[in-house]
Amino acid sequence: INNILTIMNDYFSKEEIHQYLAPVSKLVPDPSKIMVSQNRGKTAVGGNLSDLGKVKIIEGILLEDSAKLEVAMNAVSDVLALVTEGEGFHHDGSYVDHTNIAYTGAYGNVLIDGFSQLLPVIQASPYKISEEKLSVLYKWIHEGFLPLIYRGGLMDMTRGRSLSRKVQNDHFAAVEVLRGILRIAQASSPSEKAKLEGLVKNIVKSDDFYDTFKSLKSFYDVHLFEDLIANPAINEIERDTYLKLYNDMDKVAYFNKERGFAFGISMYSNKIQNYEFMNKENAKGWYTSDGVSYLYNDDLSHFSDDYWATVDPYKLTGITENSEMREKGSGMTTMKNSFVGSTSLENQFATVAMDFTNWNNTLNAKKSWFILGDRIVFLGSDIKNSTDNEAYTVVDNRKVQRESRNRSASKNDYSVVADGREVPVSDADSKMQVKDLLLKSQNTQMNIGYKFLEPTTVNVKKENRKGTWKDINEGQSDEEVENSFISIVQPHDATNNKYAYVLYPNRSEKEF
């Protein structure tokens, strides 16, 4: 109603505008409260606050009601706050929503998308937001969102149940953020505008997999991005190596500029829930915070192209679990353990630890990671499995790149090089004892090397996996999709209750 009355304003009388806005006034009487119409009103925060604020600001403009407009604009500016616990943006850049879910890449997206539409309007009004409050907004961008975006993809570990939606892949999610940042830049100081535009331009131009314009829904956004790319006066800003610890939502994000890879670790604890199953979405997200490691390299399609509909949900890279069968949507929980977190040194070295107990308390493990510049060490110890189901650690489960959707590369399959020699792999487990394993591609920037600290028995398999998006999200398509995966899995028993290996991304075979 707001949008129609705005676009077609000249065709309605003031009386008609008041008449058509009466439901808005009744159902959203206060921009700072949600669910009022259901008689269970509570304080609106984050994306909900910016959404309601947008409704009330446009309503106030249409009604030419300055008092209503002032209330709405002041309420919206209250979204620019940092919290020490609970929902909202935290001081370390974490974004928590739905009580205790890491949600930067979903509800955080809603927040910045909505707020970015309002900011230029507010800043052109008598109710301008102060520079002090705007500094919170820039902290959201530089510490909350940008460390999670690598070459146009937003890390899935903060996208909650939205990763179970086919169209909304990690690149789609990143554009939601980038278009918000670009709108905000237009209402920023010249120095901040240059910085934001330079960063967005670099990210967009570095993404040779996804067409940014597929995610732009307004002519204004299309105009901003066309100008951004074509304008030689806007200088790209490349990001240096960074290490971002999101201890308030149990996540770690790392980017190594020299080697050209990014890396994420997804954990949970007594304060953050393991996953969210809601509205019949994300039915098999069981292990997405059980110490999953996300490696981002030159295959920008890896977590797109039907990844979540086809990956084995029991075999996510980095997890230590047992093979107990799961019901859809089962086991949403926090963990009794609080010893989960990370520390850093000089923005390139980190220690990360997770005293892990699984969803039904049948498996324990002490999991740790050491980020050492261009390599990452994985250590696990004291693995205890109280069931008859096999326990295992997933060293890797890598999707094979499909036929070229990528403008600069053809399909890259992987061969497996074990201790210096290429070995055949099939859809049956190949059991082998190794010290070195290299997933070798035609593109060196997609090579993935693992060195085990002592000879280790692993099962290596290459399989075609079929699935449907409907299987993990009731509202999605039941069309069958297919991908190939290469998995490396280390089994555990009472005599083999540890793991120790080092990840070397983007090495040539000789260098490895």
Side-chain angles (χ1 to χ4, degrees):
I1 291 173
N2 272 342
N3 292 345
I4 291 167
L5 294 178
T6 300
I7 294 167
M8 303 187 68
N9 194 257
D10 292 346
Y11 298 90
F12 291 93
S13 67
K14 283 191 175 183
E15 291 74 20
E16 286 172 323
I17 289 172
H18 273 80
Q19 177 188 341
Y20 292 128
L21 287 176
V24 176
S25 299
K26 179 173 178 58
L27 296 173
V28 191
D30 182 347
S32 65
K33 288 193 165 52
I34 194 171
M35 298 180 181
V36 173
S37 63
Q38 301 169 34
N39 294 319
R40 52 193 185 108
K42 64 176 186 176
T43 301
V45 297
N48 288 326
L49 179 56
S50 70
D51 276 356
L52 290 182
K54 182 165 67 173
V55 169
K56 297 301 283 184
I57 286 173
I58 297 172
E59 179 200 22
I61 293 171
L62 288 166
L63 295 174
E64 298 179 29
D65 185 331
S66 58
K68 187 167 280 198
L69 194 57
E70 183 176 3
V71 168
M73 288 192 172
N74 288 336
V76 165
S77 70
D78 288 342
V79 82
L80 295 176
L82 298 172
V83 300
T84 53
E85 59 182 15
E87 296 183 341
F89 269 103
H90 289 232
H91 291 270
D92 69 352
S94 299
Y95 182 77
V96 177
D97 213 316
H98 284 197
T99 306
N100 56 4
I101 308 288
Y103 249 139
T104 315
Y107 286 96
N109 284 21
V110 172
L111 173 54
I112 195 169
D113 189 59
F115 191 80
S116 67
Q117 295 173 49
L118 297 176
L119 185 66
V121 178
I122 296 172
Q123 295 307 82
S125 78
Y127 315 107
K128 284 180 69 169
I129 297 172
S130 69
E131 286 300 317
E132 183 183 358
K133 271 200 166 182
L134 283 179
S135 68
V136 174
L137 174 62
Y138 300 130
K139 185 177 176 72
W140 290 358
I141 293 170
H142 294 295
E143 297 191 30
F145 288 106
L146 288 178
L148 295 169
I149 298 176
Y150 171 73
R151 292 181 62 186
L154 196 159
M155 293 184 177
D156 282 333
M157 64 185 181
T158 65
R159 299 208 305 116
R161 69 183 196 278
S162 65
L163 58 77
S164 67
R165 301 167 189 162
K166 177 180 174 69
V167 175
Q168 296 182 19
N169 62 34
D170 52 339
H171 293 263
F172 178 99
V175 177
E176 288 184 323
V177 174
L178 296 175
R179 73 189 184 206
I181 294 174
L182 204 49
R183 293 174 197 150
I184 288 166
Q186 310 316 302
S188 298
S189 67
S191 62
E192 190 64 46
K193 180 183 180 186
K195 188 190 303 180
L196 295 176
E197 288 184 333
L199 288 165
V200 172
K201 186 171 187 174
N202 176 255
I203 291 170
V204 170
K205 293 190 73 172
S206 70
D207 185 353
D208 56 13
F209 164 70
Y210 189 76
D211 181 357
T212 301
F213 290 89
K214 286 168 64 176
S215 296
L216 303 181
K217 295 183 172 65
S218 77
F219 291 117
Y220 178 61
D221 287 334
V222 170
H223 158 70
L224 287 181
F225 275 85
E226 283 183 338
D227 184 61
L228 177 83
I229 293 166
N231 190 343
I234 299 175
N235 297 314
E236 285 186 59
I237 297 176
E238 288 190 15
R239 290 184 288 174
D240 289 326
T241 293
Y242 62 77
L243 179 61
K244 185 60 188 162
L245 311 182
Y246 295 104
N247 279 323
D248 283 5
M249 62 179 182
D250 298 330
K251 306 289 182 267
V252 175
Y254 175 61
F255 166 62
N256 187 287
K257 181 181 179 181
E258 181 189 7
R259 285 288 179 183
F261 72 89
F263 184 75
I265 303 172
S266 179
M267 305 174 288
Y268 73 107
S269 65
N270 64 332
K271 66 178 185 287
I272 293 294
Q273 189 169 299
N274 55 351
Y275 83 107
E276 183 182 61
F277 171 67
M278 183 177 172
N279 299 339
K280 298 184 178 178
E281 295 186 303
N282 199 27
K284 297 182 179 180
W286 310 305
Y287 302 133
T288 44
S289 294
D290 285 24
V292 177
S293 58
Y294 293 85
L295 175 63
Y296 295 84
N297 59 19
D298 221 32
D299 179 8
L300 303 184
S301 69
H302 184 263
F303 295 103
S304 299
D305 281 352
D306 302 313
Y307 174 86
W308 289 105
T310 52
V311 70
D312 185 343
Y314 294 93
K315 298 287 172 64
L316 301 183
T317 302
I319 69 170
T320 301
E321 258 299 344
N322 59 44
S323 55
E324 182 172 348
M325 298 302 292
R326 300 287 299 272
E327 295 290 328
K328 288 185 176 183
S330 65
M332 282 188 291
T333 183
T334 54
M335 195 162 57
K336 63 183 180 181
N337 303 340
S338 62
F339 195 86
V340 177
S342 51
T343 63
S344 66
L345 177 68
E346 296 178 355
N347 208 37
Q348 59 178 325
F349 307 110
T351 60
V352 185
M354 185 184 195
D355 185 9
F356 176 67
T357 301
N358 75 342
W359 67 286
N360 63 353
N361 301 317
T362 59
L363 185 140
N364 306 93
K366 291 181 169 56
K367 295 176 70 69
S368 56
W369 300 258
F370 298 84
I371 297 175
L372 305 175
D374 62 358
R375 70 206 70 188
I376 293 116
V377 181
F378 295 67
L379 294 181
S381 63
D382 203 20
I383 299 168
K384 296 174 182 174
N385 173 27
S386 61
T387 74
D388 293 331
N389 299 299
E390 182 188 46
Y392 56 85
T393 293
V394 183
V395 178
D396 207 338
N397 193 5
R398 198 74 184 171
K399 178 167 71 67
V400 174
Q401 189 181 42
R402 288 182 181 173
E403 292 297 338
S404 180
R405 301 268 296 275
N406 178 317
R407 291 189 290 276
S408 64
S410 57
K411 176 183 175 180
N412 280 287
D413 202 346
Y414 282 110
S415 55
V416 178
V417 180
D419 293 337
R421 61 185 183 86
E422 190 171 319
V423 295
V425 289
S426 67
D427 58 2
D429 282 329
S430 298
K431 188 175 182 179
M432 58 184 80
Q433 189 180 68
V434 293
K435 282 209 72 175
D436 297 346
L437 266 180
L438 177 67
L439 298 185
K440 182 184 173 186
S441 163
Q442 296 154 285
N443 177 359
T444 302
Q445 293 301 107
M446 284 170 50
N447 283 1
I448 305 169
Y450 291 96
K451 286 186 176 287
F452 295 86
L453 300 190
E454 55 188 34
T456 299
T457 299
V458 294
N459 294 318
V460 182
K461 179 164 64 173
K462 182 176 183 180
E463 60 178 334
N464 287 333
R465 290 186 53 83
K466 296 178 180 179
T468 69
W469 284 97
K470 189 178 183 69
D471 189 41
I472 61 172
N473 184 327
E474 192 61 37
Q476 298 291 301
S477 168
D478 61 0
E479 177 189 0
E480 192 171 67
V481 290
E482 184 175 358
N483 274 309
S484 295
F485 291 83
I486 294 181
S487 61
I488 305 167
V489 178
Q490 179 184 343
H492 299 295
D493 56 32
T495 61
N496 173 22
N497 65 345
K498 60 186 178 181
Y499 61 82
Y501 53 90
V502 188
L503 164 65
Y504 292 85
N506 301 5
R507 302 317 202 261
S508 68
E509 183 176 7
K510 181 179 178 182
E511 186 181 10
F512 177 67

